[in-house]
Amino acid sequence: ALQQDENSLVFASQFLESMDKTYVPVPVEVRRCPDFPVYRTMCPYMDALLNPLGSAIIFGVSALGCVVVLMVLFLQLWRIDFDYVAVQDPFDNRLHRKTKETLAPSAAAEYSRSWLEHRWVENEKAVQEKRRKREREQVAERRTQRLNDMLGSMNRPSMLALRAS
């Protein structure tokens, strides 16, 4: 009706002067909603909503379920990434686990030496090898000392010759 009335305020602006006055919009079907005495093109889904307690329970269970699923997933990933190779821990040595009374004398000496030298305790084989090497060095040192003593006494003038002069 307002489209046909040229004296209407709608046509007062220049923007609407060029409007087609014969345009008829397509009819839209409307229906009366059962819960409201209102006519609408679409009625809301009133029966599909849950009560607040049911919604809160579903939300809580789903949140806890997500946490549990993520926890299981990360624990499995952690287990997959775990190193199964037996890593030699320097603190996990047989010498550390034994008490002072049960240690062999060489092991006790190695334990004390390692403590004083600020190094890790070596195994039994390495201790024996070091002991043999030290003994060989001591024997060589004694030989060298004896040889030096013998050579030194040959080059030294005797005490009798000194007294005579």
Side-chain angles (χ1 to χ4, degrees):
L2 290 176
Q3 288 178 354
Q4 303 296 332
D5 185 13
E6 291 188 16
N7 293 326
S8 168
L9 288 176
V10 174
F11 292 102
S13 71
Q14 290 181 354
F15 178 74
L16 295 174
E17 280 181 355
S18 62
M19 187 174 90
D20 184 16
K21 297 179 181 106
T22 61
Y23 173 74
V24 179
V26 179
V28 178
E29 182 183 342
V30 292
R31 60 182 72 90
R32 184 178 173 157
C33 295
D35 296 336
F36 298 108
V38 178
Y39 288 92
R40 296 186 178 187
T41 56
M42 277 180 45
C43 294
Y45 295 107
M46 298 308 293
D47 296 333
L49 297 177
L50 293 176
N51 62 355
L53 180 63
S55 300
I57 289 173
I58 289 174
F59 175 75
V61 168
S62 62
L64 285 176
C66 288
V67 168
V68 168
V69 166
L70 284 175
M71 195 167 69
V72 167
L73 173 75
F74 286 127
L75 284 173
Q76 289 300 322
L77 290 174
W78 183 43
R79 185 174 176 267
I80 288 170
D81 190 45
F82 187 73
D83 261 342
Y84 287 104
V85 179
V87 177
Q88 176 89 19
D89 186 10
F91 292 110
D92 186 22
N93 198 329
R94 280 182 276 145
L95 295 177
H96 288 286
R97 283 189 245 132
K98 294 181 179 178
T99 61
K100 188 175 181 180
E101 293 82 26
T102 61
L103 283 176
S106 63
E110 167 58 20
Y111 187 80
S112 301
R113 250 186 258 110
S114 69
W115 180 266
L116 293 172
E117 295 172 3
H118 303 290
R119 60 176 173 80
W120 301 116
V121 178
E122 294 175 344
N123 60 14
E124 200 75 29
K125 188 176 179 181
V127 170
Q128 295 300 328
E129 186 59 38
K130 272 189 166 181
R131 184 180 55 78
R132 285 189 208 108
K133 184 179 177 184
R134 259 195 316 268
E135 287 174 358
R136 284 192 301 266
E137 288 172 355
Q138 287 173 354
V139 168
E141 189 177 316
R142 275 190 239 127
R143 282 183 188 161
T144 306
Q145 185 65 35
R146 275 193 229 138
L147 186 62
N148 285 341
D149 287 346
M150 287 173 57
L151 291 175
S153 65
M154 291 172 70
N155 293 336
R156 223 181 309 149
S158 66
M159 293 299 242
L160 294 173
L162 287 174
R163 284 186 191 168
S165 58

